[in-house]
């Protein structure tokens, strides 16, 4: 394992080195939180694909393939569909807004007063997303070093917190590009063909497995519909995703770069399902489907290649973890802490905000690590986060983008009613049930429409300012023309 260990150690050292390099570039709030809004198509596509394809998409995607066959691709497939929908229909408008958070968008659209409540919901979502990604370090380091769960979480989490705190979005962007390349080589170009060959090829896989493993809808129509609600719609409104859209240097970059990333996700989804299906042929009686990835890597790959593929899994986890962490810290600082304190800083003080945002990443990072150590059920935590996100925020966000009659009162009602409905229904039906997100979303929609129609329309001046921002005619304060990386 010495060669494998060397690969992993070099990879982790490289992540820290890029954090240090990013620190030298992140000199303003815009540079620190959204990479100066100047990523070109190549970097934008790679980093967007990296953040949406995390440990759940890699380890979990292979596990679903092991359990259901090719239809196990649907979870990651719906993530790709959501990213495609966001890129084609909404990303250009989102990029033109020149904001930092989803809650700022809501305040712009509705005339204020929606930020803190929506910020709390978004903060809870990004926190739990970061926590679940951090817990995944335990699985990977256990395979690598037979390491204690708590030590593994602290080690992996500390590396992500370090490079994220040092350079903010610049560090995360640079590390995500490396992680994208490592994932592509490790999972698509190495693990996928090796797994198929080791399983005897597709003909042998078909001969040894039930026909349901090759049914595109074998996982079940209701499950697919739930994936669409949670993951496809979740991609449209998550702060972690929007914050990457904000890094695009133009609306064209956001649209076409995101389309490339979304298409890549569809390929990645199928690859994970095929790898899981091959693992089922080789190891038909694993204790848990999620063990399929680690088992096939540990037992079937040659020295050196094994280290690279494990680095790919680590890359998948780190990209999601760092993206969720900076999103969590941005929301906590900009949407909750600053608003509760009533701080409104003039644009000329933007450079002084880097230190504050860096401190919030460090604080949120420590909170994420401590929560990850204390938490056991990852699936339940992530389900709660996505149910709250979709049930509480989907309607007011998409309503604000698509329906000019929506009002701030309607938006607040949608957030509160949808959020409370989801919480109450999870208590009644169970956290993992499908009904909470179904009925919570319907309750949020009903509250939004009814309250908006029953209240005074949004002020014409607010809507006029909103249209100016959507059209990209309002420049960001202190934005400077600088060369854009490709």
């Amino acid at each position: 394992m010495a060669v494998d260990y060397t690969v992993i150690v070099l990879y982790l050292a490289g992540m820290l080195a890029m954090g240090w390099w990013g620190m030298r570039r992140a000199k303003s709030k815009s540079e620190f939180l959204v990479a100066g809004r100047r990523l070109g198509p190549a970097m934008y596509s790679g980093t967007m694909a990296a953040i949406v394809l995390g440990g759940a998409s890699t380890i979990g995607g292979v596990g679903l393939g092991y359990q259901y066959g090719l239809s196990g691709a649907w979870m990651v497939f719906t993530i790709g569909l959501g990213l495609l929908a966001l890129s084609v229909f909404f990303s250009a408008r989102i990029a033109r807004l020149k904001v930092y958070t989803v809650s700022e968008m809501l305040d712009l659209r509705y005339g204020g007063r929606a930020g803190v409540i929506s910020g709390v919901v978004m903060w809870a979502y990004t926190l739990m997303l970061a926590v679940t990604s951090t817990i995944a370090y335990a699985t990977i380091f256990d395979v690598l070093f037979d390491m204690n769960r708590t030590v593994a979480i602290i080690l992996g989490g500390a590396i992500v917190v370090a490079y994220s705190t040092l350079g903010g979005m610049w560090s995360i962007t640079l590390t995500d590009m490396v992680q994208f390349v490592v994932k592509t080589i490790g999972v698509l170009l190495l693990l996928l063909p090796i797994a198929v060959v080791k399983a005897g090829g597709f003909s042998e896989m078909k001969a040894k497995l039930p026909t349901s493993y090759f049914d595109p809808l074998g996982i079940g129509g209701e499950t697919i519909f739930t994936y669409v609600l949670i993951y496809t719609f979740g991609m449209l409104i998550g702060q972690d995703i929007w914050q990457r859209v904000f890094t695009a240097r133009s609306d064209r970059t956001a649209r076409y770069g995101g389309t490339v990333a979304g298409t890549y996700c569809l390929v990645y989804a199928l690859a994970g399902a095929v790898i899981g299906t091959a693992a089922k042929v080789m190891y038909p009686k694993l204790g848990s489907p999620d063990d399929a990835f680690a088992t096939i890597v540990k037992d079937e790959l040659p020295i050196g290649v094994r280290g690279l593929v494990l680095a790919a899994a680590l890359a998948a986890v780190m990209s999601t973890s760092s993206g969720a962490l900076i999103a969590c810290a941005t929301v906590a600082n900009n949407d909750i802490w600053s608003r509760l304190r009533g701080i409104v800083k003039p644009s000329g003080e933007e450079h002084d905000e880097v230190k504050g945002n860096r401190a919030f990443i460090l604080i949120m990072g420590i909170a994420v690590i401590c929560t990850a150590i204390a938490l056991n059920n990852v699936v339940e935590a992530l389900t709660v986060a996505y149910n709250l996100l979709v049930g509480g925020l989907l309607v007011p966000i998409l309503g604000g983008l698509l329906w000019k009659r929506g009002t701030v009162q309607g938006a607040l009602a949608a957030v509160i009613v949808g959020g409370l409905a989801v919480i109450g229904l999870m208590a009644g039906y169970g956290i993992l049930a499908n009904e909470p997100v179904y009925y919570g979303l319907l309750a949020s929609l009903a509250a939004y429409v009814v309250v908006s129609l029953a209240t005074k329309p949004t002020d014409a001046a607010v809507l006029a300012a909103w249209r100016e921002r959507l059209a990209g005619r309002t420049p960001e304060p202190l934005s400077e023309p600088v060369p854009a990386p490709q």
Side-chain angles (χ1 to χ4, degrees):
M1 292 287 287
V3 176
D4 297 326
Y5 291 162
T6 301
V7 172
I8 298 295
V9 170
L10 289 174
Y11 168 76
L12 294 176
M15 296 300 99
L16 292 174
M18 289 189 178
W20 183 261
W21 189 87
M23 182 177 67
R24 302 173 61 186
R25 301 199 62 162
K27 302 300 184 183
S28 69
K29 178 180 178 180
S30 177
E31 294 282 351
F32 190 81
L33 294 182
V34 290
R37 306 187 194 277
R38 54 194 177 96
L39 295 191
M43 289 190 73
Y44 180 86
S45 298
T47 57
M48 182 62 87
I51 188 176
V52 300
L53 296 174
S57 299
T58 303
I59 299 171
V62 171
L64 287 171
Y66 181 89
Q67 188 173 2
Y68 298 105
L70 298 185
S71 66
W74 272 106
M75 184 188 77
V76 183
F77 201 81
T78 55
I79 290 174
L81 291 178
L83 187 52
L84 285 172
L86 174 72
S87 302
V88 173
F89 299 112
F90 300 107
S91 63
R93 283 182 282 180
I94 292 170
R96 294 188 203 119
L97 291 174
K98 304 297 183 186
V99 295
Y100 294 100
T101 68
V102 174
S103 295
E104 286 182 46
M105 167 265 169
L106 292 174
D107 279 352
L108 277 173
R109 167 59 182 83
Y110 296 111
R113 294 183 293 169
V116 173
I117 294 176
S118 62
V120 169
V121 175
M122 190 63 77
W123 174 80
Y125 157 73
T126 53
L127 178 73
M128 296 315 300
L129 185 62
V131 165
T132 53
S133 299
T134 302
I135 290 173
Y137 297 131
T139 301
I140 298 170
F141 283 117
D142 177 58
V143 174
L144 284 171
F145 308 115
D146 193 24
M147 188 178 289
N148 175 270
R149 177 182 183 274
T150 299
V151 175
I153 289 173
I154 292 173
L155 175 61
I159 292 171
V160 170
V161 171
Y163 73 69
S164 301
T165 302
L166 285 172
M169 187 59 82
W170 266 122
S171 295
I172 292 170
T173 296
L174 294 170
T175 54
D176 276 0
M177 277 303 299
V178 174
Q179 289 158 358
F180 170 74
V181 173
V182 171
K183 279 192 289 192
T184 300
I185 296 173
V187 176
L188 297 185
L189 301 184
L190 293 176
L191 183 57
L192 174 61
I194 290 174
V196 172
V197 170
K198 292 282 187 179
F202 284 104
S203 58
E204 188 70 13
M205 290 162 62
K206 287 184 177 181
K208 290 188 174 181
L209 294 174
T211 56
S212 62
Y213 267 71
F214 302 93
D215 180 358
L217 304 178
I219 199 170
E222 184 178 354
T223 299
I224 295 171
F225 181 67
T226 303
Y227 283 160
V228 170
L229 277 185
I230 293 178
Y231 297 114
T232 300
F233 286 121
M235 288 296 105
L236 298 181
I237 59 176
Q239 169 68 25
D240 52 324
I241 309 302
W242 277 42
Q243 200 155 343
R244 293 312 173 95
V245 175
F246 300 151
T247 65
R249 75 179 183 206
S250 67
D251 53 6
R252 182 182 177 87
T253 297
R255 180 183 293 113
Y256 292 106
T259 301
V260 171
T263 304
Y264 178 89
C265 291
L266 303 183
V267 175
Y268 200 88
L270 185 59
V274 171
I275 292 167
T277 305
K280 183 67 175 178
V281 173
M282 291 182 279
Y283 309 99
K285 295 183 179 180
L286 289 178
S288 168
D290 285 342
D291 292 338
F293 180 89
T295 302
I296 196 171
V297 169
K298 193 172 184 179
D299 293 351
E300 303 297 337
L301 299 187
I303 295 172
V305 173
R306 179 171 48 202
L308 183 59
V309 172
L310 285 171
L314 199 57
V317 175
M318 283 187 161
S319 57
T320 300
S321 181
S322 58
L325 176 59
I326 193 171
C328 178
T330 303
V331 171
N333 188 15
N334 289 14
D335 295 338
I336 301 174
W337 179 245
S338 295
R339 293 168 190 260
L340 291 177
R341 293 182 61 195
I343 296 176
V344 180
K345 293 185 178 181
S347 59
E349 295 184 29
E350 186 176 22
H351 287 259
D352 299 330
E353 295 184 30
V354 172
K355 185 182 294 184
N357 282 294
R358 185 173 280 135
F360 263 87
I361 290 180
L362 179 60
I363 293 168
M364 290 298 106
I366 294 172
V368 164
I369 292 172
C370 293
T371 306
I373 292 171
L375 201 62
N376 289 319
N377 198 316
V378 180
V379 176
E380 289 190 359
L382 194 60
T383 301
V384 170
Y386 269 102
N387 282 352
L388 283 173
L389 176 72
V390 174
L393 291 180
L394 178 67
V395 170
I397 292 172
L398 294 189
L401 290 169
L402 300 173
W403 191 41
K404 67 179 182 180
R405 185 60 180 83
T407 67
V408 66
Q409 294 88 350
L412 288 171
V415 174
I416 295 170
V417 171
L420 292 178
V422 164
I423 293 171
L425 290 165
M426 283 192 294
Y429 285 98
I431 290 177
L432 298 180
N434 293 328
E435 287 83 359
V437 71
Y438 295 168
Y439 300 138
L441 193 55
L442 289 175
S444 179
L445 177 61
Y448 181 70
V449 173
V450 171
V451 175
S452 291
L453 293 176
T455 53
K456 184 179 177 181
T458 304
D459 186 85
V462 171
L463 288 177
W466 166 253
R467 286 192 291 270
E468 287 292 303
R469 292 293 282 264
L470 278 181
R473 289 191 285 264
T474 305
E476 181 185 14
L478 296 179
S479 59
E480 300 176 325
V482 288
Q486 297 300 316

